[in-house]
Amino acid sequence: MSKIPYKIYLEENEIPTQWYNVRADMKNKPAPLLNPGTLQPMTAEELEGVFCADLVAQELDNDTPYIDIPQEILDFYKMYRPSPLVRAYCLEKKLGTSAKIYYKFEGNNTSGSHKLNSAIAQAYYAKKQGLKGVTTETGAGQWGTALSMACAYFDLDCKVYMVKVSYEQKPFRREVMRTYGASVTPSPSMETEVGKKILAEHPGTTGSLGCAISEAVEKAVSTEGYRYVLGSVLNQVLLHQSIIGLETKTALDKIGEKPDIIIGCAGGGSNLGGLVSPFMGEKLRGESDYRIIAIEPSSCPSFTRGKFAYDFCDTGMVCPLAKMYTLGSGFIPAPNHAGGLRYHGMSSILSQLYHDGLMEARSYKQTEVFEAAELFARSEGILPAPESSHAIKGAIDEALKCKESGEEKTIVFGLTGTGYFDMVAYEKFHDGEMTDYVPTDEEIRAYLEKLPKTE
Ligand SMILES: *Cc1c(COP(=O)(O)O)cnc(C)c1O
């Protein structure tokens, strides 16, 4: 048998032309978003005040398994997809493991992450609806960058509220966004009512995704011709990100490979949800079994230490409530360098699947994550994003377990992006100045006690 190549490519006719909606195969559907005023499920009409109409339809669709990807989006995907699936021969050798390791690399576009997969879809539907522009928040800056690229492509206005700590730590991300025509405001800001309120209550706060979401939503609903778009957490985002998993599955099928373990980092759950969707579908239908592991930072441990409950998606409590694993919408994590994983909640889809025992979760401290990042960079050549490095650490640990037991498991993980804009974090790590903040039980309990009462 010929050796499996380093990169498994797809032919033109193997590229997916439909997204896969894992909700269609879930027996226990994810709980609906609730109106924060009435605590009743949000209707399409209510959601359409905030989101584009076609995206609302996708958000509420729990039944259609496959949804056609519009031609305009397929054309854009062609610029940077299919993304490579790589056999990590060099890492395997370095570890001396009997496991086979593959990673799906989503960092091969200017925005540097998987977020572009959903950004282009959301911009497309906004344009189709005849809107002037969209507002959003960004944490580490990857989503804002992706959305500004997508908006430039469709000639839409793009207004980004960027978490203040990232705005200051990552000035280059801001300039990339401005290059693509977006306007970028550090959050919390004095531009919105909710921003003013948060600043009055927490002067000097470095912000959080939850705060920035509140500001972006307020701006969208108060400006004619604008809607709000979100880069993670929502059902529609997982749907768009299923392109990652569909390509991965096609490539693995082609070489006759079946993963035993699938690993991804989890901030709001979109890359992991996208990567695992087709595999989870088989698992839900009883066709195959896979171990699926979510990796999160110990500083923001939604799955591993949060509660499965209805909560606000934002700090300002203006957004609908989602049922999810949450640390409480008031939770502002320590300034961990994996900005994209600093969100208090988690996708409702993944939360339900985790609750039903269909996947596992694990958390790591940031210095051990950076050790894994460095090992990976030195063996596989790619400089990984801190977020992605959580998945690397998870994969390395599983591979080392195989080394001990001699098992030949096949491990697939999502390498979500590159770390070129995270060199301040790498610098801290190299200079021995990186800290490992882990919230105490009391801290977490205090936020969980403030969860909204919905029953
Ligand atoms: C945003 C981001 C993440 C986390 O977001 P998910 O929605 O959980 O996928 C992970 N990696 C990178 C590179 C990101 O930009």
Side-chain angles (χ1 to χ4, degrees):
M1 206 178 96
S2 68
K3 196 173 163 187
I4 294 166
Y6 275 83
K7 286 185 185 165
I8 300 112
Y9 292 100
L10 297 184
E11 305 295 330
E12 184 90 23
N13 64 357
E14 295 169 327
I15 295 172
T17 56
Q18 294 181 310
W19 291 304
Y20 167 63
N21 179 8
V22 71
R23 284 168 284 167
D25 285 307
M26 289 170 70
K27 251 192 247 105
N28 298 328
K29 306 289 182 192
L33 294 168
L34 297 187
N35 179 310
T38 64
L39 298 183
Q40 292 305 305
M42 291 285 288
T43 62
E45 206 185 340
E46 287 170 334
L47 285 168
E48 282 169 17
V50 181
F51 300 107
C52 306
D54 284 337
L55 293 168
V56 168
Q58 292 179 356
E59 191 63 29
L60 297 175
D61 187 339
N62 281 343
D63 305 305
T64 313
Y66 287 94
I67 294 177
D68 286 340
I69 306 175
Q71 189 57 47
E72 288 86 342
I73 299 173
L74 285 174
D75 289 343
F76 187 89
Y77 279 168
K78 273 185 203 151
M79 287 198 267
Y80 69 101
R81 307 202 69 82
S83 71
L85 181 73
V86 184
R87 171 79 185 267
Y89 281 115
C90 302
L91 178 64
E92 288 170 18
K93 197 167 153 209
K94 189 104 162 189
L95 297 172
T97 177
S98 47
K100 290 188 264 183
I101 308 174
Y102 293 86
Y103 58 91
K104 179 74 167 163
F105 180 46
E106 291 291 319
N108 251 340
N109 66 76
T110 298
S111 75
S113 82
H114 66 286
K115 296 220 168 59
L116 195 54
N117 302 331
S118 183
I120 194 63
Q122 298 195 43
Y124 166 78
Y125 291 114
K127 186 71 183 179
K128 188 169 162 237
Q129 194 172 325
L131 297 176
K132 276 200 231 97
V134 292
T135 71
T136 199
E137 76 297 327
T138 196
Q142 284 97 321
W143 167 245
T145 313
L147 187 69
S148 56
M149 284 177 75
C151 286
Y153 185 74
F154 286 120
D155 205 12
L156 278 169
D157 189 29
C158 180
K159 174 123 191 85
V160 181
Y161 290 88
M162 184 169 188
V163 177
K164 194 178 274 165
V165 61
S166 303
Y167 185 89
E168 285 160 3
Q169 276 180 3
K170 300 184 182 183
F172 297 145
R173 277 266 174 217
R174 178 179 78 215
E175 292 316 311
V176 178
M177 287 185 246
R178 290 173 59 189
T179 301
Y180 286 96
S183 71
V184 188
T185 307
S187 167
S189 78
M190 296 298 282
E191 275 183 16
T192 63
E193 292 310 313
V194 65
K196 285 181 206 162
K197 186 161 166 260
I198 291 166
L199 280 172
E201 282 167 16
H202 306 274
T205 173
T206 51
S208 70
L209 270 182
C211 294
I213 294 174
S214 302
E215 290 207 88
V217 171
E218 181 185 316
K219 188 76 183 179
V221 299
S222 60
T223 315
E224 177 73 28
Y226 281 72
R227 290 293 186 281
Y228 166 70
V229 293
L230 179 61
S232 184
V233 185
L234 296 175
N235 298 341
Q236 57 187 278
V237 183
L238 264 74
L239 175 72
H240 306 147
Q241 294 296 357
S242 69
I243 189 80
I244 304 173
L246 292 162
E247 284 181 7
T248 302
K249 184 143 194 342
T250 306
L252 288 172
D253 285 348
K254 233 174 116 152
I255 54 169
E257 192 76 273
K258 193 172 164 315
D260 298 293
I261 308 173
I262 307 169
I263 297 172
C265 62
S270 75
N271 86 82
L272 176 65
L275 172 66
V276 306
S277 273
F279 301 96
M280 185 61 87
E282 289 189 342
K283 192 166 162 146
L284 288 162
R285 296 189 301 269
E287 296 163 8
S288 272
D289 200 14
Y290 304 96
R291 267 185 76 200
I292 291 168
I293 312 175
I295 313 279
E296 56 187 14
S298 301
S299 59
C300 193
S302 324
F303 269 135
T304 49
R305 295 175 69 197
K307 194 171 161 187
F308 188 43
Y310 266 108
D311 193 11
F312 290 97
C313 294
D314 63 324
T315 312
M317 305 182 190
V318 296
C319 290
L321 285 85
K323 189 168 183 193
M324 57 188 174
Y325 278 86
T326 179
L327 294 162
S329 64
F331 184 83
I332 296 185
N336 179 294
H337 290 289
L341 305 183
R342 294 181 73 222
Y343 183 61
H344 67 273
M346 187 54 65
S347 141
S348 288
I349 295 175
L350 291 189
S351 293
Q352 187 65 51
L353 292 167
Y354 179 65
H355 189 70
D356 291 341
L358 290 153
M359 54 183 277
E360 307 163 34
R362 189 184 296 168
S363 73
Y364 289 120
K365 299 195 187 103
Q366 67 175 345
T367 46
E368 57 186 348
V369 166
F370 273 79
E371 277 161 22
E374 204 173 68
L375 177 72
F376 184 80
R378 290 179 190 180
S379 49
E380 287 294 315
I382 294 172
L383 179 79
E387 293 87 351
S388 324
S389 305
H390 288 72
I392 295 174
K393 170 72 178 153
I396 289 177
D397 277 8
E398 289 303 320
L400 291 176
K401 278 185 209 160
C402 289
K403 182 179 177 175
E404 256 170 50
S405 65
E407 284 173 294
E408 287 180 26
K409 288 196 175 141
T410 299
I411 301 167
V412 175
F413 74 91
L415 187 69
T416 50
T418 48
Y420 299 111
F421 291 106
D422 300 284
M423 296 327 288
V424 173
Y426 275 93
E427 182 185 33
K428 289 241 161 68
F429 173 67
H430 294 140
D431 291 344
E433 288 169 9
M434 184 167 271
T435 53
D436 279 331
Y437 186 76
V438 180
T440 63
D441 288 343
E442 290 73 54
E443 265 176 89
I444 291 181
R445 200 176 315 123
Y447 287 110
L448 291 180
E449 273 168 9
K450 292 193 196 121
L451 287 177
K453 306 265 178 297
T454 54
E455 338 232 310

